[in-house]
């Protein structure tokens, strides 16, 4: 029968669950992995991975255990508590890292959205300014054209009036001359 991964020093219930998700359920499964493979799992760095793999391999190798080498139950309990504490710390660190990453991603998304909104506002402002400028230019051109047309009409009217006056004067002069002769 295979030994439970919980027998490995440095593996508590939380770490065992994480390892099980990666397919590592027994001491033999863990002993067969490399530190780099285990280090890719949440809560494990290369150092911790190397330590737990070494512990797993030690559990699998036959050892001559004397009574002096056996751990007493209090020591085993202390080791399990230490393992649990280390697992909790690793989980907390991993959660903190994940939260930081999520916050960074959310900030980036918010910045992108704000930039897009600002760009849209700036574009709208620039378009409005360009439209206003074009309208002003068109109005100026239309006014100039209207003024030119009005000036031309006024000049034509003035010329006509002057011609009429000149003809009248010339006729009067001719009539006066004709009367004298």
């Amino acid at each position: 029968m295979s030994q439970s991964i919980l027998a490995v020093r440095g593996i508590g219930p939380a770490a065992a669950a994480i390892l099980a998700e990666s397919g590592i359920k027994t001491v033999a499964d863990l002993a067969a992995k490399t530190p780099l493979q285990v280090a890719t799992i949440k809560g494990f760095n290369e150092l911790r991975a190397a330590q737990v793999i070494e512990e797993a391999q030690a559990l699998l190798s036959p050892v001559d255990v004397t009574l002096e080498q056996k751990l007493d139950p209090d020591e085993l309990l202390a080791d399990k508590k230490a393992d649990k504490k280390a697992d909790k710390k690793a989980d907390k660190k991993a959660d903190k890292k994940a939260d930081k990453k999520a916050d960074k991603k959310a900030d980036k998304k918010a910045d992108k959205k704000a930039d897009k909104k600002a760009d849209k506002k700036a574009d709208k402002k620039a378009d409005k300014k360009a439209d206003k400028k074009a309208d002003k230019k068109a109005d100026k051109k239309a006014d100039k054209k209207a003024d030119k047309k009005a000036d031309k009409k006024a000049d034509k009217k003035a010329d006509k009036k002057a011609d009429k006056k000149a003809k009248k004067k010339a006729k009067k002069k001719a009539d006066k001359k004709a009367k004298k002769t």
Side-chain angles (χ1 to χ4, degrees), residues 43-134:
F44 289 88
N45 58 27
E46 281 189 59
L47 179 64
R48 184 176 182 204
Q51 288 171 341
V52 294
I53 290 170
E54 187 178 310
E55 290 289 332
Q57 290 169 343
L59 283 173
L60 292 178
S61 63
V63 180
D64 181 24
V65 179
T66 64
L67 286 174
E68 296 168 2
Q69 291 174 323
K70 286 186 180 177
L71 296 174
D72 66 9
D74 291 337
E75 203 172 322
L76 283 173
L77 185 62
D79 284 348
K80 283 293 179 185
K81 282 183 180 178
D83 290 347
K84 203 174 195 178
K85 191 175 182 180
D87 287 346
K88 215 176 203 179
K89 189 175 180 180
D91 288 347
K92 194 174 183 179
K93 188 175 181 181
D95 288 345
K96 194 174 184 179
K97 189 174 182 181
D99 288 346
K100 194 174 184 180
K101 189 174 182 180
D103 288 346
K104 193 173 184 180
K105 190 175 182 180
D107 287 347
K108 194 173 184 179
K109 190 175 181 180
D111 287 347
K112 194 174 184 180
K113 190 175 181 179
D115 287 347
K116 195 174 183 180
K117 191 174 181 180
D119 287 347
K120 195 174 183 180
K121 191 175 182 179
D123 288 346
K124 196 173 183 180
K125 192 175 181 179
D127 287 347
K128 196 173 183 179
K129 191 174 181 179
D131 287 347
K132 198 174 183 179
K133 191 174 181 180

Side-chain angles (χ1 to χ4, degrees), residues 8-23:
V8 177
R9 186 178 187 173
I11 302 296
I18 292 169
L19 289 169
E21 288 174 7
S22 298

